[in-house]
Amino acid sequence: MLQAQPRNHWLIACALLSFFYFCNTANASDPEFDLESLMSTDVQVTSAMKRAQPISNTASSIYVLTNKDLLNAGVQSIPQALNLVPGMQVRQINNNQWAITARFAGGRYSSNLLVLIDGQSVYNPTFAGVYWENIDVPIQDVERIEVIRGQTGTLWGVNASNGVVNIITKNSLDTQEGYATVSHGSDLQYDLNLRYGGTIGDQGSYRVYSHHLEEKQASEGLSPTNDTSLLNSMGMRVDYAFNDDITLFSKWNILDSAIGQTSRRVDKNTLRNGSFNESVERNKFDFLIRVEERISKKSNHMLQFSINKESGYQETLDEEFRAADLEYQINTLIGDHQIDMGLYYRYNDIELISDEYITNFGNSNKFENYGGFFQAQLNVIPDKFHLILGNMSAYNDYTGWENQPSFRTIYKISPSQTVWFNASKAVRVPSYLENNIEIQVNGSKVGEFVNTGNTTIDNTVLASYLRGSPDTEAEETISYEAGYRLTDDNYSLDLSIFKNTSNNTLTYQPSINTHAVNSAVFALLSGDVPQVLSILNNTPIYYDFFSLSTLNVTGLEAVFAFDISPKVDTELSYSVINLDYDLAPGQVAAISHDSTLTQLMAKLNVKLPHRQSLNINVKSEKGSMYSTGNIFSADIGWRWKAKPNVTLAVNAWNLFSNEYEYLNTRELHTSPTKVNKSVTASLYVEF
Amino acid sequence: MSSFRLPVFIKNRFSCIGFVPKESCRKILLLLALGMYSIPAYCSEFDREITLKTGFIFNFSRFGQWESNFSDKANFTLCSPDRIFVEVARKNLAKKRVGKLPIKVIETSVNDDYEACDVIFITKQFYLNWKDNFSHPVSKGVMLIGESKGFIQAGGHINFFLLGGKIRFEVSIKNLKNSGLQLSSKVLRLGKIHER
């Protein structure tokens, strides 16, 4: 087996970069007036959507992936795209499940990263996180993905305490041609995308699209592998401009998937965890309609209504949720100052059916969230010094009203240099699962705690339950972040340091009925084994959720991008993050542990003769955050525009490595597999 | 000297914001209140739209093809009757070139014959006036760009419109051809083709 030798690989990467540096040719590009950038720029600074401003004017760590970046890298899914973002932690659990987050430890059920598709939040309210395998957005239709690392609660609400992933698709007017892609690979049976666009009269346009995917299972895992994927989806987007000032945007998407899952869950007969190969079928429907109006040259507002409906069926659990969102925002300029305000309301309805391991579904499966935000960007010294103040007040049925204020400053040292600082408070509200339900989990043998000398007693398994609690408090995080940004025609440097202190971090504490234990000890001393077994069989261990720890997260991120020539550009990044828990006595951190993770990334894009291009992405991660060894991966992609409307691409993924990227096996239904080396070949045709 | 006092309703509403101490909160609000009214009305928001359109026009110019090929010209000339546009374009295109020619931006009257122009941008404000005078033929080899509904039907080549807060454009290949002009596929693929 080819073993990863990180140091050598970095030497190779450096040598490659040096080679391309010396291939430098005269710069003839005009990035300032690049036509595609102009197409994607908002006419007004005050955008009805909370889109990011120009990066140079943003007091947060933001990274933007453009459509070109995604196509150059040959990515075929949103998780693969996020793997290109410096500082993001993207770990592949198996061939169809992912753990993704920023500035924390990711997990299958992470809930601190908000994901939006065209302004529609797509989280599952059961655990307030995202099933990444069901985020299905055709990559060719993505205009850009904005990733904000760090707290953004003031604008984006609760559960955005680690960041926001904002996926923005192209206006349907920009996708008028037919488009088809077909891919096949060593881990991929087929991946087929079809799209067709057209006009609606003189003022409207639409596109319809479908996606069909079948992926193979990994070759090796902790349990026998079963991580296949079968996905079919279709959708439509409509854009209509009543005039220059009023536009309507609507879209819907339906998805039907069946993913193979090696489920690690409790067997009710043995009370211990077992591995079960099964299939999870999911059906999903998303709908969104938004009307935007430009009230004047300085103001606009928008009203948006959206629906998510999702159901999942597996052998022992049926889950379904329905959510409806209504949002209103207004953005205006008063003098030189930008004011943003908004209101939102969300209704959630969750239904879980399990005759196996969920033993209590809590008091209510219907809950509401609503709130409003206000933000003022004061240009104290125009184009030089900005002060941004804001607050979001949000209500939820579990913890009541929560405030998320922020204070940000931006100072432009010169046209090319900016320093910024922000201090903010963000809140993560307990999910339905943390607040309500009781789940039977892996039982513990008596012998794991004490050796009685009696094999029957020592092998007796105590039933164990994980219990949510309505007393779980909202996790409150105070964050301080500072950054420096340098931008020039050919290069840019982005530095940020941060310190987040979270109170009420989720923990759990095991407990057992001490009276029953004393009775068992007394019976044991009396030699009454049947009585001991009878007591133990009726004495479960409870793992109760609490919010009784403090978590300090500190880190540093640096990204250096350099356009060596019009034909060669590169990007180097380094980030380090440290998690430090301060746990109350008897408490165990529910997610992750004290750890440090260091990430190094290098990207290289080269335009080759005859309309070919080469893309190399190298990534190294060191640390114990995911209980794995160090990770070193390299992806290489080659594209050839054979004809104006035909492109061929070959991508090699995860070279130099064949290891686990994620080994947190405490999570329900999670069974990691090794991430294989793989190759895909793709054909893209416009018609 | 009297001290600044916040109205009671503001004090009650904002003094409890998270980690911000009460005193700091008051100072921030004072700064906010002073800042709001201390700076003259903002006009660059208007410039932003014009700046973006200037960028588009620059791209239409550099990806356009003129029959004359500018063999006898010292400048590439962009004309408009709109003084504000002319000022913004002059600022933004000062160091730009179309081919090897430096760009000259000039203010013209709607009634001019545009002989010296390579590109004319007719803003909304001047559209009706221009349309009334358009009965006389515009010289061949002049690219007509507008931002008004009906501009293409009135004989224009490229027309801007807004969609979802972004600038989009429609192109009449037929009108361009009639004037001896062509546009590169790099531009055409991003625009709405008027006659298909």
Side-chain angles (χ1 to χ4, degrees), chain A residues 78-359:
Chain A
I78 296 299
Q80 271 186 332
L82 296 177
N83 205 19
L84 300 171
V85 179
M88 282 296 281
Q89 292 172 45
V90 180
R91 293 291 179 114
Q92 197 169 339
I93 299 172
N94 56 38
N95 270 7
N96 55 36
Q97 295 177 340
W98 299 79
I100 300 175
T101 196
R103 297 188 176 178
F104 188 46
R108 167 89 171 117
Y109 305 105
S110 292
S111 61
N112 294 27
L113 184 72
L114 186 69
V115 182
L116 298 151
I117 302 174
D118 290 318
Q120 181 179 20
S121 173
V122 293
Y123 73 87
N124 183 324
T126 310
F127 60 96
V130 169
Y131 285 131
W132 290 99
E133 65 273 20
N134 283 332
I135 302 289
D136 187 46
V137 185
I139 295 297
Q140 71 274 4
D141 295 339
V142 172
E143 181 182 289
R144 64 186 189 277
I145 302 176
E146 297 169 351
V147 179
I148 304 170
R149 300 181 306 270
Q151 292 196 168
T152 53
T154 301
L155 282 182
W156 304 96
V158 291
N159 299 338
S161 51
N162 285 348
V164 173
V165 173
N166 195 6
I167 302 161
I168 297 158
T169 65
K170 289 180 179 175
N171 191 299
S172 56
L173 190 68
D174 299 331
T175 53
Q176 289 294 288
E177 69 275 18
Y179 195 92
T181 70
V182 60
S183 303
H184 175 72
S186 54
D187 276 2
L188 180 68
Q189 202 67 36
Y190 63 85
D191 186 355
L192 176 66
N193 275 287
L194 298 168
R195 177 243 282 163
Y196 182 75
T199 54
I200 305 170
D202 281 345
Q203 290 161 292
S205 55
Y206 70 92
R207 71 165 169 264
V208 287
Y209 52 90
S210 69
H211 182 208
H212 313 273
L213 169 80
E214 187 176 343
E215 284 180 306
K216 301 172 192 171
Q217 65 199 54
S219 53
E220 193 181 343
L222 289 185
S223 310
T225 61
N226 182 40
D227 45 347
T228 54
S229 296
L230 185 64
L231 182 148
N232 291 295
S233 74
M234 63 182 293
M236 183 177 189
R237 171 173 175 147
V238 174
D239 294 274
Y240 195 85
F242 294 96
N243 51 46
D244 274 3
D245 297 326
I246 302 176
T247 53
L248 179 143
F249 155 48
S250 182
K251 67 165 196 170
W252 57 262
N253 194 79
I254 52 173
L255 177 143
D256 180 73
S257 71
I259 66 162
Q261 180 173 271
T262 304
S263 180
R264 284 171 60 79
R265 55 179 163 76
V266 72
D267 182 329
K268 282 192 91 173
N269 296 319
T270 63
L271 305 180
R272 299 278 279 181
N273 262 359
S275 289
F276 304 88
N277 276 358
E278 57 192 27
S279 174
V280 185
E281 286 177 29
R282 283 191 190 283
N283 302 309
K284 213 173 128 185
F285 173 72
D286 301 319
F287 170 78
L288 177 144
I289 185 163
R290 178 162 69 228
V291 179
E292 289 179 51
E293 183 188 18
R294 187 162 70 147
I295 306 165
S296 69
K297 289 280 182 191
K298 295 178 180 177
S299 304
N300 54 26
H301 62 164
M302 76 99 183
L303 184 66
Q304 175 177 300
F305 174 70
S306 62
I307 294 170
N308 303 114
K309 184 177 179 297
E310 188 171 329
S311 44
Y313 307 99
Q314 59 197 82
E315 206 169 299
T316 53
L317 174 67
D318 291 350
E319 48 180 320
E320 185 168 319
F321 82 82
R322 290 169 287 274
D325 286 89
L326 186 65
E327 274 186 65
Y328 173 77
Q329 285 167 40
I330 182 163
N331 312 77
T332 190
L333 289 169
I334 299 176
D336 203 12
H337 313 297
Q338 186 178 323
I339 308 295
D340 306 309
M341 291 178 280
L343 296 166
Y344 76 92
Y345 171 83
R346 182 180 172 103
Y347 175 77
N348 300 281
D349 182 357
I350 298 170
E351 194 175 340
L352 299 176
I353 301 169
S354 171
D355 53 5
E356 283 282 327
Y357 53 88
I358 299 182
T359 51

Side-chain angles (χ1 to χ4, degrees), chain B residues 129-145:
Chain B
N129 201 353
W130 171 82
K131 198 179 160 191
D132 291 343
N133 289 281
F134 189 59
S135 50
H136 67 81
V138 169
S139 310
K140 260 201 153 191
V142 181
M143 187 183 279
L144 295 172
I145 303 173

Side-chain angles (χ1 to χ4, degrees), chain A residues 403-632:
Chain A
N403 283 312
Q404 300 188 90
S406 67
F407 167 85
R408 295 166 194 261
T409 57
I410 306 169
Y411 180 70
K412 284 202 166 187
I413 303 168
S414 71
S416 61
Q417 294 183 82
T418 309
V419 286
W420 54 268
F421 169 79
N422 78 53
S424 59
K425 178 184 156 190
V427 171
R428 189 189 72 86
V429 172
S431 66
Y432 170 72
L433 192 146
E434 291 161 38
N435 193 272
N436 276 292
I437 66 177
E438 183 177 304
I439 301 173
Q440 189 167 359
V441 294
N442 193 25
S444 301
K445 286 184 179 175
V446 172
E448 290 169 21
F449 303 104
V450 62
N451 190 348
T452 64
N454 182 311
T455 322
T456 312
I457 293 173
D458 288 350
N459 285 334
T460 299
V461 178
L462 301 174
S464 300
Y465 299 89
L466 183 67
R467 291 196 297 199
S469 163
D471 297 328
T472 309
E473 293 182 50
E475 180 183 281
E476 295 180 348
T477 305
I478 304 290
S479 170
Y480 298 97
E481 190 176 3
Y484 169 78
R485 205 168 271 135
L486 170 67
T487 48
D488 202 80
D489 286 346
N490 298 328
Y491 62 86
S492 66
L493 176 67
D494 214 329
L495 296 172
S496 56
I497 52 168
F498 60 90
K499 181 178 191 312
N500 301 342
T501 303
S502 305
N503 292 316
N504 307 333
T505 301
L506 192 68
T507 53
Y508 65 85
Q509 182 174 27
S511 66
I512 193 163
N513 183 338
T514 47
H515 178 71
V517 173
N518 289 339
S519 302
V521 171
F522 184 74
L524 180 66
L525 293 173
S526 313
D528 188 354
V529 174
Q531 177 65 7
V532 173
L533 294 175
S534 167
I535 293 169
L536 292 178
N537 286 333
N538 291 294
T539 306
I541 299 174
Y542 288 107
Y543 296 92
D544 292 314
F545 276 135
F546 290 92
S547 39
L548 286 175
S549 78
T550 299
L551 170 64
N552 289 299
V553 182
T554 47
L556 158 78
E557 292 161 351
V559 183
F560 176 67
F562 183 30
D563 292 344
I564 297 169
S565 80
K567 293 185 175 174
V568 183
D569 61 83
T570 185
E571 183 183 283
L572 299 168
S573 66
Y574 171 81
S575 65
V576 61
I577 177 175
N578 179 261
L579 309 186
D580 181 16
Y581 281 92
D582 184 5
L583 294 162
Q587 299 290 313
V588 181
I591 304 164
S592 199
H593 51 273
D594 289 354
S595 51
T596 300
L597 190 83
T598 307
Q599 183 193 79
L600 267 166
M601 280 174 78
K603 297 185 199 172
L604 179 71
N605 274 302
V606 186
K607 284 182 189 163
L608 301 170
H610 308 295
R611 299 181 301 278
Q612 297 175 85
S613 65
L614 187 69
N615 179 272
I616 302 173
N617 296 311
V618 185
K619 186 174 182 176
S620 162
E621 284 187 350
K622 207 186 248 187
S624 61
M625 198 169 277
Y626 295 94
S627 308
T628 62
N630 298 337
I631 301 291
F632 186 91

Side-chain angles (χ1 to χ4, degrees), chain A residues 30 32-33 35-36 38-45 51 143 171 173-174 202-203 241 244 247 294 297-298 333 335-337 339 378-379 387 389 405 423-425, chain B residues 17-19 28 31-32 35-36 39 42 45-46 48-49 52 55-56 58-59 62 92-93 96 124 149 161-169 186-187 189-190 192:
Chain A
D30 200 338
E32 197 184 339
F33 278 146
L35 199 48
E36 291 192 2
L38 290 167
M39 296 285 288
S40 60
T41 306
D42 288 308
V43 169
Q44 288 176 293
V45 175
R51 286 178 188 143
E143 181 182 289
N171 191 299
L173 190 68
D174 299 331
D202 281 345
Q203 290 161 292
D244 274 3
T247 53
R294 187 162 70 147
K297 289 280 182 191
K298 295 178 180 177
L333 289 169
D336 203 12
H337 313 297
I339 308 295
L378 308 175
N379 292 335
L387 196 62
L389 303 164
S424 59
K425 178 184 156 190
Chain B
I17 295 176
F19 54 86
I28 289 165
L31 195 61
L32 192 152
M36 289 264 199
I39 292 167
Y42 189 54
E45 192 51 24
F46 187 55
R48 184 179 166 92
E49 184 175 336
L52 290 170
F56 276 96
F58 172 63
N59 278 289
R62 65 176 174 159
N92 286 296
L93 301 176
K96 299 272 183 269
K124 242 180 214 166
K149 202 171 179 183
F161 59 98
L162 295 182
L163 186 67
K166 294 187 171 71
I167 293 171
R168 294 291 179 266
F169 60 91
K186 276 184 186 170
V187 175
R189 73 184 177 86
L190 297 172
K192 180 177 166 187

Side-chain angles (χ1 to χ4, degrees), chain B residues 83-107:
Chain B
R83 181 169 295 170
I84 296 171
F85 170 78
V86 168
E87 283 172 14
V88 174
R90 272 184 189 147
K91 193 177 148 196
N92 286 296
L93 301 176
K95 291 177 183 171
K96 299 272 183 269
R97 284 173 177 267
V98 172
K100 290 178 181 171
L101 303 179
I103 299 172
K104 188 176 167 188
V105 185
I106 57 173
E107 186 185 341

